[in-house]
Amino acid sequence: MTDAPDTTTSRIPERPTLDGLEEKWMQVWADQGTYAFDRERALTLPREQIFAIDTPPPTASGSLHVGHVFSYTHTDCMARYKRMQGLEVFYPIGWDDNGLPTERRVQNYYGVRGDASLPYEAGFTPPFEEGVDAKGKAIKAADQRPISRRNFIELCDVLTVKDEVTFESLFRRLGFSLDWNISYRTIDARSRAVAQQAFLHNLERGEAYQSEAPGLWDVTFQTAVAQAELEARDYPGAYHRVAFHRDGGEPVHIETTRPELIPSVVALIAHPDDERYQPLFGTTVTSPLFGVEVPVLAHRAAEMDKGAGIAMCCTFGDLTDVIWWRELQLPIRSLITRNGRLQAETPEWLVGGPGEALYAEQLATKTTFSAREAVVAALRESGDLDGEPQKTQRKANFYEKGDKPLEIVTSRQWYIRNGGRDAELRASLVARGGEIDFHPSFMRSRYTNWVDGLNGDWLISRQRFFGVPFPVWYPLDADGEADYDHPITPPVSALPVDPQADVPEGYTEEQRGVPGGFVADPDVMDTWATSSLSPQIAAGWPVGEGESLRNDPELFEAVFPMDLRPQAHDIIRTWLFATVVRAHYEHGSVPWTNAAISGWILDPDRKKMSKSKGNAETPEDVVKANGADAVRYWAASGRLGTDAAYDTGQMKVGRRLAIKVLNASKFALSFGDVDGELSAAVTNPLDLAMLAALGDVVDKATAGFEAWDYTRSLEATETFFWTFCDDYLELVKDRAYGGQGAEGAASARAALRLALETLLRLLAPFLPYATEEVWSWFGQGSVHRQSWPTRDELPSGGDAGLLASVGAALAGVRKVKSEAKVGMRAEVRTMTLVAPASSVAHVQAAEADLRATGRISELAYAEGEAVEVRDAELVPVEKAPAQA
């Protein structure tokens, strides 16, 4: 152990309670820097003596939910274990405060929305607070006031700081042993500089590129969406059987759920093995209503058993259309614009055709829903609709935070190569996954399957406001057209920059937006493009100059690659993979050597709890009701990689355990101190047996942590603790009070103290408040800065089986008293203990303790297969005094 125990026991309260412990100890830990990372010490240590954690930065928008408590408790248990193992633990905290969730919260909270065309208003005051008007009515989206980009960003900054204060308070109350001096925000100056520098490096090396191409677009949030953010959902629709025409031949019928896209059809496509359509390959057909001639082509992605077996390819209706367009080198006939409506001008390929008037009069500027109704009505009238639409449920792609199906819109976006179009790079990134130990190990397959299934590069640009801007400007030619092939970038020393406000070298502000001048890139980075650099941000990766950037190359060298990335399994495809990509490019390594993957928290219907689904529980009230130790106990009872039920009943069990730690510890300490070396004082066989059993628990608990199975550590310790309280404390009580002489009392008291010191350290990662409180009654310093217990600290020579045998005998005595409906203090005048020979020998070695505890006058033995009490003669006690 690190510190010798204090012999003073006057600090034990008269009535131990959990009430007030959180306020007391969270303040002490903050004042004393109990969990502070010692940078100077770390720089002198070998790498294996440092444990660095890439802590997930929670999204600072609104409130936390119990899923955060679940996964962060797992991480904190490991951090505490490693700290007690003597490692210097680097445990930072960040806040992921840029991106769409923050913007949505600001819109709803203040009743505003950003508009890049509006000028900045100095001293702007938002029209509303907390999403309600002066009369307390909820603000509707239609009532949101448009404000300038800069005003909107300022409000985002204000509200996220307010939310982060609340989050920090809850994290501190939950006892997370973070170093609050090592913190960051994904929108602060350092995060922006790191993200921009990494992007510029990607651009210089050819890993980042810009392309105008079809991409997924959310019309509600007006932003591009990456493949990793997709969510396939059922969506109501209808199959429409529609005729395409052939010269001199029967019409070709296709079945589609999106007839509004017929004006953008570029081909009909069937499977090359489909005998029905083989004669048509290489021929052409004309589209109904619009008379556009399109080829009939073969592609293996066509599904012979779906619908008519032949499909129209439109640019673009879904991701399959994109594949066909790319691989069959088809033209682009794009109709749907960023606002989800069909373009206003009649497309050139329809001009002069039979559908020109139909498009101009009934389709232009219409939503896809209205356009669909108009096209179906026209098809019905022309006779090209075969039968009536048949209702169906179709799978549609949604943005994971969106409510409407995504459209595919052609636009200019930034990408980072991630192996989706490069087999060699993909293989390298799969191999990186093999360098990481996943816990549980089967989670590696989720990583591998995701990387192997990529079909495009990582889209990193977003059409939003509150994010890290791309550090890029474009020169304008004499006609005012942007030259995208020759972007202007800033020097690293200038980072971070805001191209919308800052001016590139060699230009003046007056040249912004004018021919011969420059224009800023309008987009910001996807939030994953910043948070994928969380190890670099937290650990001081060199970037730029200036105190606010907190560069620390020595620290980065000491802790990178980090040791642990904890996270949920659903973002392996986003955060985990993206972080691997960035480290692969920037450092030629993995970002960390271990990934601890948590499951989800499920509601009573076994559905994932999430704020977006509206079924998430916020932890504030449950922490107040049950206490932080109790909530942590529930969280630690769920294993990595396994979904867990939200269970307040389990929290009550944890609270009972924490209370028992206080009360049992007070009782164990009440017998007084032992002079001299504790281990030398333990001589009684029962005491040695208890400590031998405890040594087994130490081994199991240590093995559990080393195997990343925190639950096994908790289970082993908790099971022994209840045996210790229910059996050993009762058995040893009389002797500890001096009922069997000075030597027996010294042995009992020493064993109790050794057991208590060991159990508190074993429970400390799970119940930090109760264990710290008890340790303060007799120990020096914090229990969380003590060494993790080892078997070698405990005296040897004991037989763990002896404790079990005597405990079974005591259970037998209790049973006969209970069945006789007499109190536990009733005297047993005579009894016979039946047990196997080995158990008999055990009980005989501790007979004095058993007889004193059971109040047994005469005890006989007989051999049998199981331990049981027979022929007991009881003397009831009318009013037995309460047991201690």
Side-chain angles (χ1 to χ4, degrees):
M1 293 175 54
T2 304
D3 298 311
D6 191 332
T7 57
T8 301
T9 57
S10 60
R11 289 172 281 176
I12 304 175
E14 182 66 27
R15 295 181 180 276
T17 177
L18 295 178
D19 296 340
L21 291 190
E22 288 150 22
E23 289 79 4
K24 171 184 176 180
W25 289 112
M26 60 194 285
Q27 188 61 53
V28 171
W29 294 334
D31 293 343
Q32 297 183 356
T34 303
Y35 308 120
F37 172 72
D38 189 337
R39 176 188 177 279
E40 300 311 314
R41 176 174 180 260
L43 296 183
T44 67
L45 293 174
R47 179 62 183 86
E48 61 270 17
Q49 288 299 307
I50 302 171
F51 190 77
I53 303 171
D54 182 18
T55 315
T59 300
S61 57
S63 61
L64 294 167
H65 64 79
V66 292
H68 291 98
V69 177
F70 185 68
S71 58
Y72 281 80
T73 297
H74 290 175
T75 307
D76 188 62
C77 288
M78 180 58 79
R80 290 178 177 277
Y81 167 73
K82 292 294 185 180
R83 196 178 285 115
M84 296 176 77
Q85 283 270 314
L87 278 65
E88 193 62 48
V89 176
F90 181 76
Y91 194 8
I93 180 64
W95 306 107
D96 193 9
D97 44 15
N98 77 66
L100 180 60
T102 297
E103 292 193 25
R104 291 178 66 185
R105 174 156 164 75
V106 167
Q107 289 171 353
N108 296 330
Y109 189 91
Y110 290 119
V112 298
R113 56 184 171 83
D115 186 335
S117 66
L118 295 177
Y120 176 70
E121 294 182 46
F124 172 75
T125 301
F128 308 108
E129 289 276 348
E130 299 185 4
V132 296
D133 62 17
K135 297 181 179 179
K137 293 183 179 180
I139 303 304
K140 298 179 181 179
D143 298 327
Q144 292 175 352
R145 175 182 167 183
I147 60 176
S148 74
R149 169 184 178 271
R150 183 177 165 190
N151 286 126
F152 187 80
I153 289 173
E154 287 178 352
L155 289 180
C156 289
D157 214 25
V158 169
L159 190 55
T160 51
V161 169
K162 184 184 297 186
D163 286 340
E164 285 157 15
V165 170
T166 303
F167 282 24
E168 178 177 337
S169 176
L170 180 61
F171 273 33
R172 286 183 181 271
R173 178 172 290 276
L174 284 162
F176 297 153
S177 59
L178 298 150
D179 186 341
W180 292 95
N181 295 314
I182 311 174
S183 65
Y184 64 89
R185 302 171 63 216
T186 57
I187 201 65
D188 65 19
R190 171 160 181 78
S191 294
R192 296 199 310 273
V194 168
Q196 289 181 341
Q197 175 171 276
F199 168 77
L200 291 175
H201 289 179
N202 293 140
L203 187 61
E204 291 165 9
R205 295 189 296 253
E207 298 147 3
Y209 66 93
Q210 198 175 39
S211 175
E212 183 152 358
L216 292 158
W217 186 268
D218 189 291
V219 298
T220 302
F221 299 118
Q222 287 292 289
T223 187
V225 175
Q227 181 183 351
E229 298 168 310
L230 297 185
E231 190 174 283
R233 303 179 198 163
D234 288 327
Y235 191 72
Y239 276 118
H240 305 75
R241 184 174 169 84
V242 177
F244 279 69
H245 303 285
R246 291 192 296 153
D247 286 340
E250 293 294 319
V252 179
H253 287 91
I254 60 98
E255 293 185 19
T256 179
T257 59
R258 301 204 64 182
E260 73 276 13
L261 294 179
I262 290 174
S264 66
V265 66
V266 291
L268 296 189
I269 298 177
H271 195 280
D273 297 336
D274 195 330
E275 295 179 356
R276 295 172 294 176
Y277 302 110
Q278 284 176 345
L280 297 179
F281 295 148
T283 68
T284 62
V285 295
T286 55
S287 62
L289 304 179
F290 301 97
V292 176
E293 187 174 21
V294 297
V296 181
L297 304 173
H299 195 282
R300 293 195 172 277
E303 299 175 78
M304 289 189 284
D305 57 351
K306 183 178 180 180
I310 189 168
M312 64 176 185
C313 174
C314 304
T315 48
F316 294 91
D318 57 24
L319 291 174
T320 303
D321 283 345
V322 177
I323 295 171
W324 286 337
W325 162 78
R326 182 181 297 121
E327 296 186 3
L328 297 176
Q329 298 183 332
L330 298 170
I332 288 182
R333 292 173 182 162
S334 183
L335 288 182
I336 299 177
T337 60
R338 289 187 173 192
N339 63 8
R341 295 175 179 270
L342 273 63
Q343 68 181 50
E345 295 183 6
T346 302
E348 60 180 20
W349 61 90
L350 300 182
V351 174
E356 180 178 5
L358 171 63
Y359 187 91
E361 296 170 8
Q362 299 187 46
L363 302 183
T365 74
K366 292 296 190 293
T367 65
T368 55
F369 178 81
S370 297
R372 185 180 308 138
E373 288 188 324
V375 168
V376 171
L379 289 169
R380 190 179 283 116
E381 183 178 346
S382 70
D384 291 320
L385 182 66
D386 185 3
E388 285 301 304
Q390 301 297 311
K391 290 185 178 180
T392 184
Q393 286 288 107
R394 67 185 179 94
K395 284 290 185 184
N397 284 316
F398 286 74
Y399 176 38
E400 59 188 1
K401 302 182 186 299
D403 301 318
K404 294 181 179 180
L406 296 171
E407 296 293 350
I408 297 179
V409 175
T410 301
S411 58
R412 181 174 295 278
Q413 304 288 346
W414 284 104
Y415 297 84
I416 289 180
R417 304 182 195 279
N418 66 357
R421 297 179 180 175
D422 183 335
E424 185 177 347
L425 175 58
R426 180 163 57 247
S428 296
L429 293 171
V430 168
R432 288 292 183 207
E435 299 176 38
I436 300 167
D437 287 332
F438 283 79
H439 310 285
S441 59
F442 67 80
M443 287 293 178
R444 179 182 286 107
S445 63
R446 298 198 183 189
Y447 171 89
T448 302
N449 292 341
W450 171 255
V451 181
D452 280 338
L454 289 169
N455 55 31
D457 287 329
W458 177 16
L459 171 69
I460 63 166
S461 49
R462 293 292 183 271
Q463 290 64 51
R464 305 300 303 172
F465 294 102
F466 197 53
V468 178
F470 285 93
V472 174
W473 301 267
Y474 306 102
L476 298 177
D477 62 17
D479 296 323
E481 295 294 324
D483 181 359
Y484 293 110
D485 294 330
H486 299 90
I488 305 167
T489 57
V492 170
S493 60
L495 300 179
V497 299
D498 179 359
Q500 301 280 0
D502 298 327
V503 177
E505 291 182 352
Y507 292 86
T508 64
E509 179 61 35
E510 289 69 29
Q511 292 177 281
R512 186 184 297 273
V514 300
F518 70 94
V519 66
D521 191 295
D523 295 342
V524 298
M525 297 182 196
D526 166 27
T527 186
W528 296 116
T530 307
S531 56
S532 63
L533 295 161
S534 52
Q536 291 87 343
I537 293 169
W541 181 53
V543 59
E545 299 174 358
E547 184 176 343
S548 65
L549 300 185
R550 304 188 305 282
N551 305 314
D552 195 340
E554 290 182 312
L555 175 63
F556 186 75
E557 183 70 22
V559 302
F560 188 90
M562 292 187 172
D563 296 276
L564 172 61
R565 154 65 68 82
Q567 64 165 72
H569 59 76
D570 55 323
I571 52 174
I572 288 175
R573 71 188 194 280
T574 48
W575 191 33
L576 190 148
F577 175 56
T579 312
V580 171
V581 170
R582 305 307 285 274
H584 174 77
Y585 281 140
E586 196 62 50
H587 311 289
S589 73
V590 293
W592 4 257
T593 51
N594 293 277
I597 309 298
S598 296
W600 285 335
I601 300 302
L602 307 179
D603 67 11
D605 296 325
R606 304 296 295 176
K607 295 179 180 177
K608 175 195 175 185
M609 277 191 175
S610 69
K611 287 190 287 186
S612 63
K613 296 181 185 299
N615 64 345
E617 294 282 349
T618 55
E620 289 86 350
D621 291 341
V622 75
V623 172
K624 291 179 181 177
N626 297 282
D629 280 354
V631 176
R632 289 173 64 101
Y633 172 88
W634 159 74
S637 298
R639 284 182 163 83
L640 284 175
T642 303
D643 295 341
Y646 176 66
D647 188 355
T648 55
Q650 186 81 341
M651 296 175 195
K652 290 180 173 62
V653 173
R655 183 172 179 82
R656 176 171 170 258
L657 174 62
I659 292 171
K660 190 67 174 181
V661 168
L662 297 180
N663 292 331
S665 298
K666 179 184 179 186
F667 183 60
L669 291 168
S670 67
F671 300 109
D673 299 318
V674 179
D675 295 331
E677 176 64 33
L678 292 179
S679 295
V682 181
T683 57
N684 184 276
L686 180 61
D687 302 335
L688 290 168
M690 181 273 293
L691 294 174
L694 181 55
D696 292 340
V697 172
V698 169
D699 288 344
K700 291 176 183 177
T702 305
F705 271 110
E706 291 298 320
W708 299 79
D709 189 349
Y710 326 124
T711 308
R712 182 173 19 139
S713 300
L714 175 58
E715 288 172 346
T717 304
E718 181 188 9
T719 299
F720 178 85
F721 175 76
W722 286 112
T723 298
F724 174 80
C725 295
D726 295 341
D727 294 344
Y728 180 75
L729 281 180
E730 290 299 314
L731 286 164
V732 81
K733 180 167 54 176
D734 176 75
R735 181 157 49 84
Y737 276 127
Q740 299 176 38
E743 182 179 346
S747 179
R749 294 173 186 178
L752 284 169
R753 183 63 64 90
L754 286 169
L756 184 59
E757 292 173 1
T758 302
L759 283 167
L760 290 175
R761 287 179 287 157
L762 290 175
L763 289 169
F766 310 104
L767 310 177
Y769 287 106
T771 54
E772 185 76 301
E773 172 67 11
V774 172
W775 191 267
S776 73
W777 298 346
F778 69 94
Q780 296 291 328
S782 169
V783 69
H784 304 298
R785 282 294 186 175
Q786 306 307 308
S787 62
W788 183 254
T790 65
R791 176 186 284 273
D792 293 341
E793 297 174 13
L794 302 172
S796 60
D799 181 353
L802 187 150
L803 178 63
S805 297
V806 181
L810 179 60
V813 174
R814 289 169 172 163
K815 179 180 179 183
V816 296
K817 291 183 179 182
S818 177
E819 290 175 346
K821 295 184 171 53
V822 299
M824 290 298 113
R825 294 184 62 80
E827 181 183 346
V828 181
R829 185 168 293 162
T830 63
M831 60 166 271
T832 299
L833 181 67
V834 179
S838 58
S839 295
V840 168
H842 285 156
V843 174
Q844 287 174 331
E847 182 177 309
D849 289 328
L850 177 63
R851 291 179 63 171
T853 304
R855 300 175 67 84
I856 304 166
S857 298
E858 295 184 17
L859 174 58
Y861 297 93
E863 287 192 22
E865 293 184 0
V867 176
E868 62 176 312
V869 173
R870 295 180 185 172
D871 305 326
E873 182 181 346
L874 305 177
V875 181
V877 176
E878 291 187 6
K879 287 189 177 181
Q883 295 186 12

